[in-house]
Structures are given as C-alpha cells and as structure tokens.
Amino acid sequence: MSSDSPATHYVAPVETTTITVDAVKVAAKPSSLWSDAWRDIRVRPTFWISVAIVIWVLLMSFWPTLFTHVDPRSCSLDFSNQGPGKGHPLGYTFQGCDIYSRIVWGTRVSVSVGLLATLIGSFIGLVMGALAGYYGGWLDSVLSRVGDIFFSIPYILAAVVVMTVFADFRNVITLSVAIGGFAWAATARVVRAEVLRVRNSDFVTASRALGKSNFGTMMSHVIPNAIAPLLVVSTLSLAAAIVAEATLAFLGVGLGDQAISWGTEISNAQSQIRVAPMSLIYPSLFLTVTVLAFIMLGELIRDALDPRARAQR
C-alpha cells in the first residue's frame, strides 16, 4: 500500500456491539454493620441456643416464683442429704434445704452481681478509653498508664481485699463495685483502639468542619460508631463477673452464708462432696451452663460484627 492511499478504518457493526451497564437498585435500603451482623448471626443454631439459655436464666433471676414455690430458707435436718422426691427434683442439702429452690433463687444474686459489675466496668472503660483515644496527647498518656496499673492488678485479688476491708458492708452493690471497679482496664483498651480508628473518618472531619465541638463530635459520632466492640467485651465480662462472684463466695469473702447464690451453694456443699456430691454438682452445672451461654453469645456477636470473619466463612 502506498503512502498516498487513504487509510482504512475498521469499525465494528453497531448492531453487534453490546454495552452492559451495572444496574443499581435505588429503592434498596443501604446495608449497615448491624444489619449484616444480624443476617449472619440469625442463621446460626448456636446463637439461638445461647439466647434461649440467657433468656431462661434472666427469667429465673427476675421471676423465680415462675420456677418454684418452695421457700429456699425453709430447711429441716430431717431431710438432710436426702435424694430427689415429689416437688423436690434435686433433693436436699446437708442442712435439709431444697437444692432446686436455692439454685433458682440464687440466680438472682449471681446475675445481679454480674450485671452491675459489668455495667460499672463498661462505663468506666468507655469513659477512659473514649477520652484517651479521641483527645490523645498527654491525656492519652496519663489515662493509658492508669489503665496499665489496673490491668496489672488481678481483679479477683483486689476484690478479696475490698470485701475483707468492708466486711461489715457486704452486699450486692459493694461486691459489684469491688469486681467492676478493677475489671475495666481491658474494656478501656478495646474502646481506645476503636476510637483511634473512628476519629480519623470523613464524617468526623465533616462534623468538625461544620463547627461542632470536640466533645459533641465524640458523643454524637465517634462513640456510637465505636460501640460494637464494647458490646462484645461486655457480654464476655458478664460471664467473668458471674464466675468472680462464685469464686469470692467459695473463698469466703463473698456475700456471706445468709445470701443465696450459686457461689454460696458451692461453698457450703464442698464439705459434703464425699457424702452428697450432687449438692455441689447441681449449682456448679447451672453456673457452667450460664457462663458458657454468655461466652458463646459474646463470641458469636464478635464474629458477626467482624467483616473479615464473615468473609472467611
């Protein structure tokens, strides 16, 4: 072909050209972290099993008369260590008390201590972690060092000291403060890390640009978007607080023998383990199942709120 000849252009036929345009559903609701988590977690059988156990325990805690009409303080040595009978499905303790009734009524104290201790620890951890993570600087350094001090102190040991010092004021509130007041450091670390991630987001920058104060931005934008890990930690902390109450009662620095709780029942039954082991096994079994349910629920929520964990399944 000579250089003077016109150039030849090859054009595809119009009727054979197919242009594909991605369809966008404008009417569809935008997906969110919580909706994605709910869609993931609701199809898992272990979630519903955990929820059923938790609801059962909460009902037993708030309305024990729905499960038994036997007075847990009505004891008679005539029934000491007797086996199950009509109206007494788990038998009697060494003091002749109905085991099932005391376990049901003991749920109220154990769960109450767990809930109050978790609320106290979560509140302190949220405040300390949010302030340290959002403001940074010298405040972050001071609060982080305070958290390190509390993190290095085993809260069980600290609670033993507190309950020994305040032996004349042993009640649910004192025990909850003794546990939650020393167990907040782990929560603060999680909240701080999440706040550090959220505070550099575009919506936080836009809030500041619109003239909103730092505190207002933190309360209205940062904390609501950093609350998901706190929910997971609180669920796991609730199980740990219930175990802590039982541990302190077993060590003799709990609420005392007059209180009815799972820990007290385990402590009172340890001397009869050779003669009547079931009086120790039954409350221990209730404690184990409850703690296991809260732990499974917390782990399921954690996996559901983590997009990377969902992507791996």
Side-chain angles (χ1 to χ4, degrees):
M1 181 180 296
S2 63
S3 58
D4 297 334
S5 60
T8 305
H9 300 278
Y10 296 93
V11 181
V14 177
E15 62 274 6
T16 60
T17 304
T18 304
I19 301 176
T20 304
V21 179
D22 294 337
V24 180
K25 296 181 180 180
V26 180
K29 294 183 178 180
S31 180
S32 65
L33 175 66
W34 297 102
S35 60
D36 291 342
W38 171 244
R39 283 196 300 269
D40 176 77
I41 201 173
R42 68 183 181 184
V43 298
R44 308 186 68 176
T46 50
F47 169 73
W48 295 109
I49 294 174
S50 302
V51 169
I53 295 175
V54 169
I55 293 176
W56 169 63
V57 170
L58 292 178
L59 287 175
M60 190 178 294
S61 173
F62 290 105
W63 294 283
T65 54
L66 294 176
F67 299 87
T68 181
H69 296 287
V70 178
D71 185 1
R73 301 186 184 278
S74 177
C75 307
S76 175
L77 292 177
D78 296 336
F79 303 104
S80 178
N81 289 336
Q82 285 193 11
K86 185 177 180 180
H88 307 278
L90 303 183
Y92 297 86
T93 64
F94 175 72
Q95 293 83 10
C97 308
D98 182 64
I99 296 178
Y100 176 71
S101 176
R102 292 184 69 84
I103 290 176
V104 170
W105 283 91
T107 308
R108 170 173 293 181
V109 173
S110 298
V111 173
S112 297
V113 171
L115 288 174
L116 286 176
T118 302
L119 288 175
I120 294 171
S122 298
F123 177 76
I124 299 175
L126 175 61
V127 173
M128 300 287 281
L131 292 176
Y134 185 76
Y135 288 100
W138 66 269
L139 184 61
D140 183 17
S141 300
V142 172
L143 295 181
S144 296
R145 298 298 77 76
V146 173
D148 291 341
I149 294 174
F150 277 85
F151 193 80
S152 64
I153 302 174
Y155 66 89
I156 292 292
L157 179 60
V160 169
V161 175
V162 172
M163 295 303 293
T164 303
V165 172
F166 295 95
D168 297 333
F169 304 95
R170 292 184 181 181
N171 52 49
V172 173
I173 296 177
T174 305
L175 183 57
S176 301
V177 172
I179 297 174
F182 290 89
W184 57 267
T187 303
R189 286 188 172 185
V190 173
V191 173
R192 176 183 176 273
E194 190 67 11
V195 169
L196 285 173
R197 182 188 67 84
V198 174
R199 74 173 184 177
N200 295 321
S201 302
D202 293 337
F203 58 86
V204 176
T205 304
S207 177
R208 293 172 181 167
L210 292 174
K212 200 162 190 176
S213 64
N214 285 330
F215 184 77
T217 301
M218 181 182 67
M219 295 299 296
S220 59
H221 296 289
V222 176
I223 291 180
N225 286 278
I227 207 72
L230 178 63
L231 178 62
V232 177
V233 174
S234 298
T235 307
L236 299 175
S237 298
L238 177 57
I242 294 176
V243 174
E245 184 277 328
T247 303
L248 294 173
F250 186 82
L251 295 174
V253 290
L255 299 177
D257 295 336
Q258 299 300 321
I260 302 176
S261 69
W262 292 341
T264 304
E265 294 305 300
I266 295 173
S267 178
N268 294 336
Q270 62 176 321
S271 61
Q272 300 294 315
I273 189 172
R274 293 180 179 272
V275 180
M278 300 311 294
S279 60
L280 174 66
I281 293 176
Y282 286 135
S284 302
L285 184 62
F286 272 74
L287 175 64
T288 302
V289 172
T290 301
V291 171
L292 182 61
F294 279 108
I295 291 177
M296 286 195 306
L297 184 60
E299 292 182 348
L300 289 171
I301 295 175
R302 179 193 60 194
D303 293 342
L305 293 174
D306 187 1
R308 291 172 297 182
R310 294 199 302 267
Q312 293 175 358
R313 289 196 297 268

